[in-house]
């Protein structure tokens, strides 16, 4: 039988507190890493074969049916965390491309007075933190090395 991992540890960066969601109605599963923004979505692709289409057993579930999963993976360049002054919670999400990262930085500069938190996390590709996960505070212009 095909199964989907319910592990909350990220396959990309190893962070152990990822967000995992299971949809009971559709049996879809979704994982997002809070650190790097890596996303995986598991969706059953063979729902059409689950039940008999004709004959005496039409509409009944096939005993031999096993779900087959289609996997969609998004590997972003960074993840973000934002909080506005009026908000109770914060927003988390991926930054898919380098162009999106440039736009995100520009947006934070424009809206800086509305924000209480604006951080991005990414795998550093230059300097003393090369190849390590870092968190950059865009409001305070500080970069912090994250635990591996």
């Amino acid at each position: 039988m095909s199964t989907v991992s319910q592990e909350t540890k990220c396959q990309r960066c190893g962070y152990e507190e990822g967000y995992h969601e299971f949809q009971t109605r559709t049996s879809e599963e979704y994982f997002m890493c809070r650190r790097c923004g890596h996303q995986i979505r598991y969706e059953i692709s063979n729902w059409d074969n689950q039940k008999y289409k004709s004959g005496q057993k039409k509409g009944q579930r096939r005993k031999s049916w096993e779900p087959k999963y289609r996997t969609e993976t998004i590997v972003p360049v960074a993840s973000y965390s934002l909080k506005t002054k009026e908000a109770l919670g914060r927003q988390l999400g991926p930054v898919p491309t380098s162009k999106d990262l440039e736009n995100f930085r520009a947006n934070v500069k424009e809206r800086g007075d509305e924000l209480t938190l604006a951080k991005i996390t990414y795998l550093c590709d230059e300097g003393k933190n090369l190849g390590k996960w870092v968190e950059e505070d865009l409001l305070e212009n500080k970069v912090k090395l994250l635990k591996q």
Side-chain angles (χ1 to χ4, degrees), residues 85-100:
K85 291 180 180 175
E86 307 85 39
L88 295 175
R90 60 185 175 154
Q91 300 172 16
L92 302 169
V95 182
T97 66
S98 297
K99 184 68 175 168
D100 292 324

Side-chain angles (χ1 to χ4, degrees), residues 52-60:
Y52 290 100
K53 292 183 173 78
S54 62
Q56 289 181 328
K57 294 185 177 182
K58 183 177 180 178
Q60 293 179 16

Side-chain angles (χ1 to χ4, degrees), residues 47-102:
W47 278 116
D48 295 344
N49 300 332
Q50 179 186 21
K51 296 181 179 179
Y52 290 100
K53 292 183 173 78
S54 62
Q56 289 181 328
K57 294 185 177 182
K58 183 177 180 178
Q60 293 179 16
R61 186 167 185 245
R62 295 175 190 256
K63 291 181 181 176
S64 61
W65 181 79
E66 288 187 17
K68 292 182 182 169
Y69 290 93
R70 180 176 64 229
T71 305
E72 294 178 20
T73 303
I74 298 172
V75 182
V77 295
S79 69
Y80 72 87
S81 181
L82 273 181
K83 186 173 187 310
T84 59
K85 291 180 180 175
E86 307 85 39
L88 295 175
R90 60 185 175 154
Q91 300 172 16
L92 302 169
V95 182
T97 66
S98 297
K99 184 68 175 168
D100 292 324
L101 185 56
E102 288 175 31

